[in-house]
Amino acid sequence: MSKSTRVPGYMQSKGARNRGPLGDREIRYKCSMQNTILDVLRARPGWQEVSGPNPPQQQQLQQQQQQEKKGEGDWDFHWCDREWLHANYDTMFLQEHQKILHFRNHYELTRKNLMVKNLKRLRKQTEREMGKKEAESFDFYPTTYELPSEYHIFVEEFKKNQGIIWIMKPAAKSQGRGIFLFRKLKDITDWKKGEYQPLTDPNREVPETYVVQRYIEDPYLIGGRKFDIRVYVLVVSYNPLKVWLYRSGFARFSNSRFSLDSIEDAYVHLTNVAVQKTAPDYDPDKGCKWATQQLRSYLTAKHGSDAARRVFQGIDNIIIKSLQSVQKIIINDKHCFEMYGYDVLLDDKLKPWLIEINASPSLTASGKDDYDLKHGVLNDVLNVLDLENRLTGKEKRVGGFDLIWDDGAVTTDDGAMECSVNSVSTTSNSFLGCHCDRKKHLREIYTAAQALKKSTPS
């Protein structure tokens, strides 16, 4: 082997490794989580964990923190939590090669009140510039108000629609915490008085923000049970907007049969796994999940391929419109990426509704199938980011991820259709709920990329 031959870092002996360009050496990572992502990172060839300080002296810890803020931290990739990002991002200098989870102000899309605010703004802009017909493409989120700031506006709307059900949600909480349903205005008088706001705390400057939404009373049911769909979306850039959609996800079912007779029963109305697993008759072996492929097959068998295709096209529209609503607001940084967990509900007319968008979707597995799914998603996030420099950069599919938007809609290549339940041809490079042999595909694209790089003069 000549001296000029490049050897991947994970094939070098430890003594031969250096801190040169990525692709020529091991990739050093940090991880704030203790779940599936840590398993994925530790199992990845050529990746090495950066050990945290082993009970250091206070002075050593301060020096390490100062180094990180100057961008001198000895890491290439950091799967951080949101709290760490908020505490460190503004005082950090990231080196050219470093990648980090989360954009600085990701909450513009993932806080429930800000998500709706941004969607409303883009809808109004679209109506002004393109007309009411085009603005109707934003009709995928329930009537929503922010409380306490829009309380009086909400009361006016409430009085116009007596008898319907509303749902109250904390704007910045997840896993179903703090959510409740109500039919009567007096049911939230305690909230208005402060019962549902944080207790007096000198560190809190404002009361907790809630959103109140019109509850979808006619959800599509399977086996008499309500469900929502978790969809994984990877954004690697906001300027230009570049979006990848994962083919696999899951439908989360309620543990109890749906009924409007008891709106206080969380096991009927909330599909969050954190809620459902506390049900007295919850079976951890069976769980309450279907793979997205199973759901798409069911919808196709029951309603036809055209109806199923419209459902998933509707989900695509939700993803793109919601991301466009914050495209000019999110602080774009080439070092940052975001893996969102979208939650979508179908009504009995098969119309998809956006429920919420999570910046930190749960990566803790509820069973083997769930672990395999999340393990695949996370591995393919790393494959798309391609710190090892193994791809050409022109790929439209990487493992289970399909590129659906790249500063414009992405069209599929001829012969790329791998959705056995979709008999209608399509030009969109979107295959949510379609067949996904991700390992086979990865072998193919890596082989093709390697051959192309060898044939291309450097």
Side-chain angles (χ1 to χ4, degrees):
M1 183 181 292
S2 67
K3 291 183 179 179
S4 60
T5 303
R6 294 178 59 181
V7 180
Y10 60 86
M11 294 176 63
Q12 300 178 23
S13 66
K14 287 188 177 181
R17 293 174 185 169
N18 57 60
R19 302 304 294 154
L22 295 180
D24 290 330
R25 60 171 174 80
E26 67 194 8
I27 295 169
R28 296 171 66 82
Y29 69 86
K30 295 177 68 175
C31 183
S32 304
M33 309 296 177
Q34 297 289 326
N35 49 38
T36 312
I37 181 57
L38 192 56
D39 294 346
V40 168
L41 290 167
R42 286 176 173 170
R44 198 163 178 90
W47 288 54
Q48 178 180 330
E49 187 171 3
V50 177
S51 301
N54 276 325
Q57 308 246 343
Q58 186 65 24
Q59 186 177 1
Q60 291 175 317
L61 180 58
Q62 290 174 349
Q63 287 175 349
Q64 182 194 22
Q65 291 172 338
Q66 289 172 357
Q67 286 178 340
E68 288 188 349
K69 289 182 178 181
K70 293 177 182 178
E72 298 171 359
D74 193 18
W75 55 270
D76 308 304
F77 179 88
H78 190 180
W79 192 282
C80 67
D81 55 38
R82 292 167 297 177
E83 291 72 23
W84 187 93
L85 186 84
H86 295 159
N88 294 278
Y89 181 89
D90 290 340
T91 55
M92 288 180 65
F93 174 79
L94 293 170
Q95 297 178 16
E96 181 72 19
H97 64 278
Q98 290 179 306
K99 284 283 185 183
I100 190 167
L101 177 66
H102 300 310
F103 288 88
R104 172 63 182 87
N105 57 337
H106 61 83
Y107 48 79
E108 289 285 351
L109 187 62
T110 56
R111 281 182 64 104
K112 299 176 185 69
N113 58 326
L114 298 180
M115 178 190 80
V116 172
K117 173 186 173 183
N118 288 315
L119 282 169
K120 286 180 177 179
R121 187 190 63 255
L122 184 57
R123 177 172 185 160
K124 288 179 181 177
Q125 179 185 335
T126 301
E127 185 172 340
R128 281 196 311 270
E129 297 175 358
M130 305 179 71
K132 291 185 177 181
K133 186 68 176 176
E134 185 64 27
E136 289 175 1
S137 63
F138 286 86
D139 185 24
F140 53 73
Y141 57 93
T143 301
T144 305
Y145 298 95
E146 179 182 310
L147 301 183
S149 62
E150 296 180 329
Y151 179 78
H152 295 294
I153 303 174
F154 160 66
V155 170
E156 290 180 13
E157 181 69 18
F158 180 92
K159 291 178 178 178
K160 293 177 185 176
N161 298 276
Q162 296 285 349
I164 69 169
I165 300 174
W166 296 83
I167 183 168
M168 187 87 91
K169 305 175 182 179
K173 289 182 180 177
S174 59
Q175 299 184 329
R177 290 173 295 179
I179 296 178
F180 62 95
L181 279 64
F182 65 94
R183 277 195 179 97
K184 300 177 181 178
L185 202 55
K186 69 176 185 179
D187 293 338
I188 62 167
T189 52
D190 289 336
W191 180 91
K192 190 171 182 294
K193 292 175 182 176
E195 181 174 324
Y196 295 104
Q197 298 174 20
L199 297 176
T200 302
D201 184 338
N203 295 321
R204 292 187 184 270
E205 297 178 358
V206 295
E208 185 172 6
T209 301
Y210 275 66
V211 295
V212 59
Q213 292 181 327
R214 185 165 179 166
Y215 184 64
I216 297 172
E217 300 182 25
D218 53 353
Y220 185 85
L221 306 177
I222 296 179
R225 288 170 170 78
K226 178 182 174 180
F227 66 93
D228 68 0
I229 309 167
R230 167 57 57 87
V231 180
Y232 293 106
V233 176
L234 174 65
V235 176
V236 295
S237 170
Y238 269 99
N239 185 23
L241 184 60
K242 191 167 185 178
V243 185
W244 296 80
L245 173 62
Y246 203 69
R247 295 188 175 197
S248 301
F250 52 84
R252 303 178 298 185
F253 288 82
S254 63
N255 195 63
S256 304
R257 294 178 68 85
F258 182 77
S259 170
L260 294 176
D261 294 338
S262 177
I263 62 173
E264 297 83 14
D265 191 341
Y267 301 130
V268 171
H269 300 284
L270 304 184
T271 58
N272 310 72
V273 174
V275 172
Q276 294 297 327
K277 69 182 182 180
T278 63
D281 54 346
Y282 178 78
D283 187 342
D285 294 327
K286 294 180 180 179
C288 296
K289 291 183 178 180
W290 268 14
T292 314
Q293 284 83 351
Q294 186 177 358
L295 175 63
R296 185 159 191 161
S297 295
Y298 176 90
L299 294 175
T300 301
K302 192 168 181 65
H303 302 283
S305 59
D306 284 355
R309 176 173 52 84
R310 286 192 294 270
V311 167
F312 290 92
Q313 285 179 338
I315 295 175
D316 289 349
N317 177 62
I318 287 173
I319 292 167
I320 298 303
K321 289 289 196 302
S322 61
L323 293 172
Q324 288 176 331
S325 75
V326 296
Q327 186 177 0
K328 295 181 179 179
I329 298 173
I330 294 290
I331 300 169
N332 192 61
D333 186 335
K334 67 180 181 180
H335 302 95
C336 302
F337 67 96
E338 200 79 57
M339 190 189 79
Y340 295 109
Y342 275 68
D343 292 339
V344 178
L345 178 75
L346 302 183
D347 66 19
D348 60 5
K349 294 180 178 61
L350 292 181
K351 176 180 176 177
W353 294 85
L354 175 60
I355 303 303
E356 65 179 8
I357 305 171
N358 300 275
S360 298
S362 173
L363 301 178
T364 301
S366 58
K368 182 183 183 305
D369 290 343
D370 196 41
Y371 181 84
D372 290 344
L373 167 65
K374 291 173 179 175
H375 200 277
V377 172
L378 295 168
N379 253 313
D380 285 343
V381 167
L382 303 182
N383 292 334
V384 170
L385 296 176
D386 192 31
L387 272 71
E388 299 96 334
N389 192 28
R390 293 186 291 174
L391 300 174
T392 66
K394 303 294 185 182
E395 290 81 4
K396 292 184 179 180
R397 178 186 172 192
V398 177
F401 275 108
D402 295 293
L403 182 63
I404 64 170
W405 195 269
D406 188 5
D407 203 22
V410 178
T411 56
T412 185
D413 297 325
D414 291 340
M417 197 62 183
E418 294 186 29
C419 198
S420 60
V421 299
N422 192 342
S423 61
V424 181
S425 61
T426 179
T427 57
S428 173
N429 194 52
S430 175
F431 304 98
L432 179 61
C434 296
H435 174 68
C436 182
D437 189 343
R438 49 177 299 276
K439 291 184 179 179
K440 177 183 176 183
H441 182 260
L442 288 170
R443 287 194 297 269
E444 292 173 351
I445 62 169
Y446 285 138
T447 300
Q450 185 179 19
L452 181 62
K453 288 181 179 182
K454 284 183 178 179
S455 65
T456 304
S458 57

